[in-house]
C-alpha cells in the first residue's frame, strides 16, 4: 500500500472498540476517520465527541463504499463478523476482525475466500499474541530455556454473569463459551505448540443455568511432536478473570498468566553430590501487565499494511483456531475423540 497514513473506521463503540480507537490514535501512521454503532444508548455520540471522529453513523453499510476509508476494524458481536468482514473486503478495504474470526469453520472459509478474491488483507484479533507475558513465554521456549515441550495447558476463567454484553448478545445458543472466549486459550497453545490433531472433551452446565450453552469445558489435545495439552474454559466461575497457563519442558517449566506482574521460570540446576536432579529456585521474571494490548495489535496491523508484509495473525491462523474450538464442541456432543479438520481454502 503506497500511503503514509491510513484512514481507519471502527465498527462498534463498546469498551473493547474504544481500546481499538485509542490504539489508532496512538499510531501516527493512522487516522480514526469513522466509527459506527447501531446502539441506542448514546455511545456512538459519546465516542464521536470524545475521540473527535469526523464520521459517525449507525449503519455499517453507510461506510462500505466510502472511498476515504482504507481499513476497517470490526469489534461487534461474534455472529456479525462474517457479514461485515466480507462486505468490507469486497469493497476493497483491509480488515482487522476481532476474535473469534467467526462461529463456524464454514463462515471462516467464506471470509478467507473473500480476502483472496478481493486482493485485500484480513487480520484476526487474537490479542494474546500481543500480551507481554505470553510473548516473553514464547521467546523463552523458542530459545530452548525449558528444553523440549511435553505438556502445555491454558485456561480461560471469566464470570460472564456480569459480562452478558449489550442486550445480552453473549447469551445465545450460537455462541458457545468455548469458542467466543475460550478461543484465547486455544490460540495461545496453537501459537506456541502448533496445531493439535485430535481432541477429547467434557463439559457441564452448573453456574449459568439460564444460559443456553455449557459454561464449563475441559479439553485434552494431541499436539505435534507428541506433546499433550489441556484447555479449561469456564464462563461462570466465581473468581477473578485469568488466563493462567503452564508450559512443561524437559529442562524446565514456565507458569504465567495475563494478569500478573511476573512469570515464573523453573530451570534445571546442577545435580547434587549424590546424583539427584536439582532445580533452581523459581525465578520471577518481571513483565508488563497488559491483558488486552490492543495498541500493539493496531500497531502491527497498520505496519503490515504500510509495509506490504504478511498479517501477523492471518486469516488462516484465525480460522485454524476456530477449527480447533468447533472440534472441541463436537467432541463434547459426540462423547468421543474428534479428529480436527483445518481450513481447506
Amino acid at each position: 500500500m503506497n500511503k503514509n497514513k491510513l484512514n481507519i473506521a471502527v465498527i462498534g463503540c463498546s469498551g473493547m472498540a474504544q481500546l481499538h480507537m485509542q490504539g489508532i490514535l496512538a499510531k501516527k501512521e493512522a487516522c480514526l476517520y469513522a466509527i459506527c454503532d447501531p446502539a441506542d444508548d448514546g455511545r456512538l455520540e459519546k465516542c464521536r465527541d470524545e475521540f473527535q471522529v469526523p464520521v459517525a453513523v449507525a449503519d455499517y453499510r453507510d461506510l462500505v463504499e466510502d472511498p476515504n476509508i482504507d481499513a476497517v476494524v470490526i469489534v461487534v458481536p461474534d455472529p456479525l463478523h462474517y457479514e461485515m468482514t466480507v462486505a468490507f473486503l469486497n469493497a476493497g478495504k483491509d480488515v482487522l476482525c476481532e476474535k473469534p474470526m467467526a462461529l463456524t469453520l464454514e463462515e471462516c472459509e467464506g471470509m478467507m475466500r473473500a480476502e483472496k478474491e478481493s486482493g485485500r488483507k484480513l487480520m484476526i484479533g487474537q490479542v494474546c499474541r500481543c500480551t507481554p507475558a505470553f510473548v516473553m513465554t514464547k521467546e523463552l521456549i523458542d530459545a530452548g530455556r525449558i528444553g523440549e515441550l511435553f505438556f502445555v495447558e491454558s485456561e480461560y476463567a471469566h464470570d460472564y454473569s456480569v459480562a452478558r454484553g449489550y442486550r445480552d448478545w453473549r447469551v445465545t445458543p450460537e455462541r458457545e463459551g468455548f469458542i467466543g472466549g475460550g478461543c484465547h486459550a486455544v490460540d495461545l497453545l496453537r501459537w506456541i505448540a502448533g496445531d493439535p490433531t485430535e481432541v477429547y472433551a467434557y463439559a457441564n452446565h452448573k453456574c449459568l443455568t439460564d444460559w443456553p450453552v455449557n459454561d464449563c469445558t475441559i479439553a485434552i489435545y494431541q499436539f505435534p511432536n507428541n506433546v499433550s495439552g489441556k484447555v479449561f474454559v469456564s464462563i461462570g466461575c466465581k473468581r477473578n478473570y485469568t488466563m493462567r497457563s503452564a508450559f512443561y519442558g524437559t529442562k524446565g517449566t514456565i507458569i504465567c498468566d495475563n494478569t500478573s506482574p511476573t512469570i515464573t521460570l523453573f530451570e534445571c540446576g546442577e545435580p547434587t553430590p549424590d546424583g539427584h536432579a536439582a532445580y533452581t529456585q523459581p525465578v520471577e521474571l518481571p513483565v508488563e501487565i497488559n491483558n488486552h494490548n490492543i495498541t500493539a495489535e493496531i500497531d502491527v496491523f497498520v505496519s503490515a499494511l504500510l509495509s506490504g508484509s504478511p498479517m501477523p495473525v492471518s486469516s488462516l491462523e484465525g480460522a485454524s483456531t476456530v477449527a480447533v474450538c468447533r472440534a472441541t464442541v463436537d467432541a463434547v456432543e459426540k462423547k468421543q475423540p474428534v479428529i480436527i479438520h483445518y481450513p481447506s481454502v
Side-chain angles (χ1 to χ4, degrees):
M1 181 174 289
N2 188 22
K3 293 190 69 171
N4 295 321
K5 196 164 189 172
L6 301 181
N7 282 339
I8 301 179
V10 175
I11 312 302
C13 288
S14 63
M16 181 61 71
Q18 291 177 49
L19 292 179
H20 286 81
M21 295 176 196
Q22 293 168 8
I24 294 167
L25 292 173
K27 182 72 172 173
K28 66 180 182 179
E29 295 87 357
C31 170
L32 181 58
Y33 170 81
I35 58 174
C36 171
D37 197 298
D40 56 5
D41 59 0
R43 60 186 179 182
L44 176 66
E45 294 76 15
K46 178 179 178 294
C47 287
R48 179 196 61 199
D49 296 341
E50 179 178 347
F51 297 109
Q52 300 182 346
V53 188
V55 178
V57 300
D59 190 333
Y60 82 93
R61 286 172 283 255
D62 292 336
L63 301 177
V64 170
E65 300 299 335
D66 188 331
N68 296 307
I69 296 174
D70 300 302
V72 179
V73 178
I74 295 176
V75 196
V76 298
D78 306 344
L80 302 176
H81 289 181
Y82 169 79
E83 170 190 316
M84 293 184 179
T85 297
V86 169
F88 281 111
L89 287 171
N90 288 340
K93 321 295 186 190
D94 298 298
V95 176
L96 167 58
C97 179
E98 252 299 336
K99 66 80 203 167
M101 183 174 176
L103 295 179
T104 68
L105 183 56
E106 291 74 20
E107 287 190 341
C108 290
E109 291 175 336
M111 294 160 77
M112 294 173 70
R113 283 191 292 271
E115 177 188 26
K116 183 177 181 179
E117 292 167 3
S118 68
R120 308 317 303 170
K121 291 186 177 182
L122 171 59
M123 175 173 156
I124 308 304
Q126 296 286 173
V127 75
C128 285
R129 301 190 186 206
C130 293
T131 300
F134 299 147
V135 170
M136 180 184 290
T137 293
K138 188 175 190 305
E139 290 172 348
L140 291 168
I141 292 171
D142 289 347
R145 291 288 293 272
I146 63 171
E148 183 181 351
L149 288 175
F150 64 87
F151 178 69
V152 295
E153 66 177 341
S154 184
E155 66 183 48
Y156 177 84
H158 196 173
D159 186 1
Y160 275 12
S161 66
V162 294
R164 298 170 70 97
Y166 177 73
R167 291 184 175 174
D168 283 358
W169 71 264
R170 284 193 174 103
V171 192
T172 62
E174 296 83 11
R175 190 185 193 269
E176 294 276 354
F178 197 93
I179 300 175
C183 67
H184 277 308
V186 169
D187 190 74
L188 175 63
L189 295 192
R190 281 193 55 252
W191 186 42
I192 291 177
D195 287 337
T197 56
E198 185 178 85
V199 57
Y200 192 85
Y202 297 92
N204 55 37
H205 191 179
K206 295 188 176 185
C207 294
L208 304 180
T209 56
D210 63 328
W211 288 47
V213 295
N214 288 316
D215 54 51
C216 175
T217 302
I218 183 167
I220 305 298
Y221 297 99
Q222 181 64 56
F223 284 90
N225 302 315
N226 199 27
V227 175
S228 300
K230 179 183 78 173
V231 168
F232 163 72
V233 173
S234 174
I235 59 171
C237 57
K238 305 309 169 189
R239 62 156 301 172
N240 58 313
Y241 163 75
T242 184
M243 272 190 62
R244 181 188 180 278
S245 304
F247 300 87
Y248 292 83
T250 54
K251 296 181 180 179
T253 302
I254 296 173
I255 300 173
C256 60
D257 64 47
N258 58 348
T259 58
S260 299
T262 62
I263 70 172
T264 304
L265 171 66
F266 297 83
E267 293 182 280
C268 290
E270 295 296 325
T272 60
D274 57 2
H276 291 293
Y279 300 92
T280 59
Q281 291 297 311
V283 176
E284 301 294 331
L285 302 176
V287 67
E288 176 191 3
I289 299 177
N290 195 333
N291 58 34
H292 288 88
N293 193 5
I294 302 300
T295 297
E297 188 173 86
I298 292 293
D299 177 64
V300 297
F301 174 63
V302 172
S303 296
L305 290 179
L306 291 175
S307 66
S309 56
M311 282 291 120
V313 188
S314 68
S315 58
L316 176 60
E317 286 293 297
S320 295
T321 290
V322 172
V324 176
C325 293
R326 285 262 39 128
T328 304
V329 173
D330 290 346
V332 170
E333 295 175 350
K334 295 177 180 178
K335 295 182 171 57
Q336 64 183 34
V338 169
I339 301 298
I340 300 168
H341 297 286
Y342 288 94
S344 58
V345 175

